[in-house]
Amino acid sequence: MDNKESAKERFLDTFLGAVKDWDKHLAESINSDDDANHIIKENLQKMIEEQENHGNAIGLGREVWYSNDYFIHCLILDFISDVKGDQDLVDELKLIYVGKLGNPGLDAEAINMDMESEGYLIKISFEMDLNILLFSNFVSYHLYGMQIDDEDEIKKLLPGAFETFLLFIDKKELLKKTEEILQIGPKERDLTSIRVHIASELFEASMKFLLSHEIGHHFLKHTESNGRNLVSKFIPTDATSNQLHLDEFAADNFGFDLSIIQGKKESNKTFLLAPLIVILMLALFDRTPEEPSQTHPSLRDRYLNLLSRVSEVNEQVASEHQHFFDFVASWINGLLPGYWKTEWWKPIAE
Ligand SMILES: [Zn+2]
């Protein structure tokens, strides 16, 4: 037990290009010779200083963080404080390490346990994080639009909705924009606007759902390779995929419970929307969200399952969210005609 490596050590040892500190890594990788980059670097350094002050203030140095990414670390801290009545769960959560990687691709995964290490390792790609940020931003224009009556104000939101959506599908534009945002720095942006507030809350809630889904795979023992192998000996190969499908629904349900129920967010409509929005974002990378794969149930079924979880909490909100989902998915479908073969999010008429 004593010489086992921690999840953090395992992360740094296993993955090529894994860094101890994501923001420091970003700051160091920027060549500050040209003026624009110089501003980016200064902003990042300011941010790192603020993170360090905050970490020191709450008695946690950088070394004991739950992630190499400050924001993700804070989300895990939230989970820990959400479940503080349940000491066993607190102790388990403290064994989590989330490693952010610079690899391209939409990737978040609970890494299988092994004998040589302890703790629960989760990896997430930079691109996954960024896509959730952008998609939350995009959705926030529509959400805010729903809340206001003034037609002119609603029209003013359209360019923003288009712009954020295009960023989402055009990676080159996205990189340019990311640099712009870093140059402006968080201070100068209009943090008081309601729309920006909605976007950042939706981002937080979506990341929490995503992370707690992966935590679910660990805590529900889907990552104990022994357990999985034992089971697969007794079930025929074609049924194995069904077990994987069941695991996926179980992880979604666990994620819903940890991020919303345990987090006491049942009356927060944005939090109730977030799991559905994560599914919609994933559907943008899936031409057939109505079809299951070998390892995953269809996004349509995951959406319907999560929608039913929302309706258990509040039927009225579930119905509002179903309409909103239909509105945004139809909007996307209008912009990318033929991308999806079906209106996969719609209930099948009986
Ligand atoms: Zn999963």
Side-chain angles (χ1 to χ4, degrees):
M1 188 83 178
D2 291 343
N3 353 348
K4 284 194 175 183
E5 66 174 358
S6 68
K8 176 182 176 176
E9 287 161 343
R10 187 178 171 205
F11 171 70
L12 293 171
D13 288 348
T14 312
F15 295 101
L16 199 70
V19 295
K20 264 189 183 166
D21 192 314
W22 184 262
D23 291 320
K24 273 192 180 166
H25 157 73
L26 274 189
E28 280 158 13
S29 64
I30 292 169
N31 170 2
S32 57
D33 287 347
D34 84 62
D35 283 351
N37 281 345
H38 190 72
I39 302 172
I40 298 178
K41 198 162 181 152
E42 263 183 13
N43 275 323
L44 268 173
Q45 259 148 4
K46 244 184 267 168
M47 193 173 80
I48 290 168
E49 249 170 64
E50 278 169 28
Q51 293 172 0
E52 239 148 52
N53 292 340
H54 177 242
N56 292 338
I58 56 175
L60 284 168
R62 261 187 139 73
E63 286 305 303
V64 290
W65 282 11
Y66 297 107
S67 170
N68 59 350
D69 178 85
Y70 179 74
F71 181 68
I72 293 175
H73 161 73
C74 291
L75 300 181
I76 305 290
L77 279 181
D78 274 357
F79 289 146
I80 292 172
S81 91
D82 287 344
V83 304
K84 60 178 175 291
D86 183 341
Q87 194 53 44
D88 290 345
L89 198 47
V90 168
D91 292 341
E92 289 285 285
L93 283 167
K94 285 184 170 173
L95 294 171
I96 285 170
Y97 188 79
V98 183
K100 184 157 147 182
L101 284 164
N103 302 4
L106 215 59
D107 184 24
E109 189 187 341
I111 306 294
N112 270 347
M113 312 287 284
D114 72 358
M115 302 293 276
E116 284 77 44
S117 66
E118 56 187 355
Y120 302 108
L121 180 57
I122 292 167
K123 75 171 159 104
I124 181 169
S125 69
F126 163 72
E127 211 172 304
M128 177 65 102
D129 194 340
L130 192 59
N131 276 315
I132 291 186
L133 178 67
L134 277 173
F135 201 65
S136 303
N137 218 352
F138 159 69
V139 170
S140 73
Y141 283 95
H142 293 296
L143 257 184
Y144 180 50
M146 294 267 170
Q147 293 177 9
I148 51 179
D149 297 323
D150 186 338
E151 287 290 328
D152 289 335
E153 280 301 305
I154 293 175
K155 273 190 202 129
K156 279 189 209 155
L157 293 170
L158 265 178
F162 275 111
E163 196 199 356
T164 46
F165 188 73
L166 291 179
L167 284 182
F168 192 72
I169 52 183
D170 181 350
K171 297 286 176 241
K172 253 190 241 147
E173 268 303 299
L174 168 67
L175 281 176
K176 238 169 61 192
K177 193 72 187 178
T178 313
E179 282 178 12
E180 262 172 49
I181 292 169
L182 284 168
Q183 279 179 41
I184 302 164
K187 291 251 160 60
E188 283 85 342
R189 269 180 287 151
D190 181 13
L191 295 176
T192 54
S193 105
I194 298 174
R195 208 269 313 154
V196 171
H197 176 78
I198 294 172
S200 67
E201 190 173 48
L202 187 58
F203 175 58
E204 178 194 329
S206 300
M207 284 295 287
K208 278 188 168 166
F209 174 71
L210 183 91
L211 291 169
S212 54
H213 170 104
E214 299 307 333
I215 292 171
H217 280 308
H218 276 309
F219 287 11
L220 299 168
K221 312 218 179 292
H222 303 160
T223 52
E224 277 185 1
S225 24
N226 286 342
R228 174 61 56 76
N229 289 340
L230 196 70
V231 173
S232 45
K233 262 197 282 188
F234 298 107
I235 43 180
T237 13
D238 58 343
T240 315
S241 62
N242 286 337
Q243 185 55 48
L244 293 177
H245 288 188
L246 292 177
D247 287 356
E248 220 43 51
F249 288 121
D252 275 346
N253 289 336
F254 184 96
F256 191 92
D257 288 336
L258 182 58
S259 66
I260 295 168
I261 311 291
Q262 308 245 37
K264 300 196 174 45
K265 299 287 187 188
E266 290 111 310
S267 54
N268 182 314
K269 284 187 184 180
T270 310
F271 267 75
L272 288 172
L273 180 66
L276 310 176
I277 291 307
V278 170
I279 298 293
L280 183 54
M281 194 233 20
L282 292 173
L284 274 177
F285 297 89
D286 185 345
R287 301 291 301 267
T288 54
E290 67 284 353
E291 284 173 19
S293 73
Q294 197 95 64
T295 54
H296 281 69
S298 71
L299 287 171
R300 172 186 163 82
D301 285 346
R302 290 178 66 190
Y303 163 64
L304 293 175
N305 172 56
L306 288 165
L307 190 60
S308 87
R309 293 302 313 272
V310 178
S311 81
E312 283 164 22
V313 174
N314 186 324
E315 250 177 87
Q316 173 63 27
V317 173
S319 146
E320 281 171 30
H321 283 358
Q322 188 176 16
H323 282 115
F324 181 71
F325 196 99
D326 176 44
F327 174 80
V328 180
S330 302
W331 193 92
I332 293 170
N333 209 27
L335 215 61
L336 305 171
Y339 182 79
W340 291 317
K341 287 192 213 90
T342 62
E343 290 178 304
W344 55 270
W345 60 92
K346 293 203 169 161
I348 294 167
E350 308 229 344

